[in-house]
Amino acid sequence: MSELRLDATQLDRYSRHVIMDEIGPEGQQRLLEGSVLVVGAGGLGSPAIQYLAAAGIGRLGIVDDDVVERSNLQRQIVHGDGDVGRPKVDSAADYVAALNPDVDVETDETRITAENVDELVDGYDVVLDASDNFGTRYLLNDHCVLAETPLSHGAIYRFEGQVTTFTNDRGGDEDPPCYRCIFPEAPEPGTVPDCATTGVLGVLPGTVGCIQATEVVKYLLGAGDLLEGRLLMYDAMGMTFDSVDVRANPECPVCGDDPEIDSVEDVAYEGSCSVSAD
């Protein structure tokens, strides 16, 4: 870390961080020097973007290829009624700019694919997956495993959500799991309906996205216990949190003992997101 250089305005803005022993001025500077890529500026991405920006993440990337629709506004809280029809990356960037001038926002109005994932992710300290489809989740997992980039995973369905963190830090006494260790392949298309079909509680992604942002901030600070090796499940109707321990699968096709996936080009990220037979 470079020499401490928080100015008077920053000491005021982040004073509630600076006075904490676990963060202090050194920790706040780590956040200001940190970089996070948020994939998806919708339900999960909105609260994550808000709190990462407020925390002073110095470089915040936002990737999304969608435009704001009025039906988004019940849960996608970085967008407003006047943003309907605008690219989500633009309205999200405007929100961040109004909230915290310390944050440099980089936007890409595109869908992340096997062809562009390396370019989009390169140079970021952490990736926060706020996507809403299995293809993107598996693509980000596989790329981040191969690139050894930490990945925050979150997902929601009706009244339920799940969160975990994959540090992808291998070579220790016990390797951590990846997304494929828990979910080897995606369900068949059409077997899991989306929120447009089944609905979603508007405040649910706020809870899950905030937990993802918390995990990212902790990782950048090097503080606390991450959800690595644990899948946190939240039930909003029962107001319960349950944690399930998960371990690396030695037969995992991307991080196992004899991996089949050496490149994201090996995988068809549609359907069941399975390894190519070629």
Side-chain angles (χ1 to χ4, degrees), residues 2 7 17 37 79 105 111 129 145 178 196 198 201 225 230 237 239 251-253:
S2 57
D7 61 30
H17 276 175
L37 179 67
H79 316 297
V105 182
R111 186 179 185 85
D129 179 9
V145 169
C178 77
T198 64
L201 182 67
D225 295 324
R230 292 182 290 155
M237 289 297 278
M239 196 48 68
E251 298 182 2
C252 175

Side-chain angles (χ1 to χ4, degrees), residues 66-96:
D66 205 359
V67 299
V68 179
E69 299 178 6
R70 189 160 281 108
S71 62
N72 299 151
L73 304 181
Q74 158 251 21
R75 63 198 178 282
Q76 300 182 18
I77 52 178
V78 292
H79 316 297
D81 197 69
D83 295 316
V84 172
R86 295 184 68 199
K88 289 182 180 180
V89 293
D90 290 349
S91 51
D94 286 349
Y95 182 96
V96 174

Side-chain angles (χ1 to χ4, degrees), residues 9 53 59 63 65 92 102 104 113 119 133 137 143 165 170 174 183 185 188 212 218 229 237 252 262-263 276:
T9 300
R59 178 178 171 231
V63 177
D65 68 340
D102 286 341
D104 293 328
T113 67
E119 178 183 358
N133 65 89
R137 291 170 189 159
H143 176 82
T165 299
R170 288 172 170 76
E174 184 175 349
F183 308 106
E185 291 192 354
E188 290 298 321
Q212 288 185 267
K218 286 161 51 184
M237 289 297 278
C252 175
D262 297 319
S263 165
S276 172

Side-chain angles (χ1 to χ4, degrees), residues 130-151:
S131 64
D132 62 357
N133 65 89
F134 287 105
T136 301
R137 291 170 189 159
Y138 283 93
L139 171 61
L140 288 174
N141 174 77
D142 296 351
H143 176 82
C144 288
V145 169
L146 296 172
E148 299 183 355
T149 300
L151 175 68

Side-chain angles (χ1 to χ4, degrees), residues 91-269:
S91 51
D94 286 349
Y95 182 96
V96 174
L99 177 65
N100 190 349
D102 286 341
V103 181
D104 293 328
V105 182
E106 299 178 7
T107 61
D108 284 280
E109 187 186 351
T110 187
R111 186 179 185 85
I112 200 161
T113 67
E115 290 71 33
N116 65 18
V117 64
D118 186 66
E119 178 183 358
L120 292 172
V121 172
D122 184 51
Y124 285 97
D125 297 324
V126 190
V127 175
L128 189 149
D129 179 9
S131 64
D132 62 357
N133 65 89
F134 287 105
T136 301
R137 291 170 189 159
Y138 283 93
L139 171 61
L140 288 174
N141 174 77
D142 296 351
H143 176 82
C144 288
V145 169
L146 296 172
E148 299 183 355
T149 300
L151 175 68
S152 168
H153 161 72
I156 55 173
Y157 178 74
R158 289 175 54 81
F159 300 99
E160 301 173 355
Q162 64 184 35
V163 191
T164 189
T165 299
F166 306 110
T167 64
N168 293 316
D169 183 12
R170 288 172 170 76
D173 294 336
E174 184 175 349
D175 285 343
C178 77
Y179 185 75
R180 281 191 186 270
C181 293
I182 308 171
F183 308 106
E185 291 192 354
E188 290 298 321
T191 59
V192 179
D194 59 22
C195 68
T197 304
T198 64
V200 60
L201 182 67
V203 297
L204 174 67
T207 303
V208 175
C210 283
I211 294 173
Q212 288 185 267
T214 302
E215 287 285 281
V216 168
V217 168
K218 286 161 51 184
Y219 176 83
L220 292 173
L221 291 172
D225 295 324
L226 298 172
L227 284 171
E228 182 174 60
R230 292 182 290 155
L231 181 66
L232 183 68
M233 297 177 292
Y234 169 52
D235 178 357
M237 289 297 278
M239 196 48 68
T240 59
F241 287 89
D242 294 299
S243 178
V244 176
D245 291 338
V246 292
R247 294 187 177 183
N249 178 4
E251 298 182 2
C252 175
V254 68
C255 75
D257 296 339
D258 187 20
E260 301 173 61
I261 300 173
D262 297 319
S263 165
V264 293
E265 296 178 358
D266 297 338
V267 182
Y269 291 100

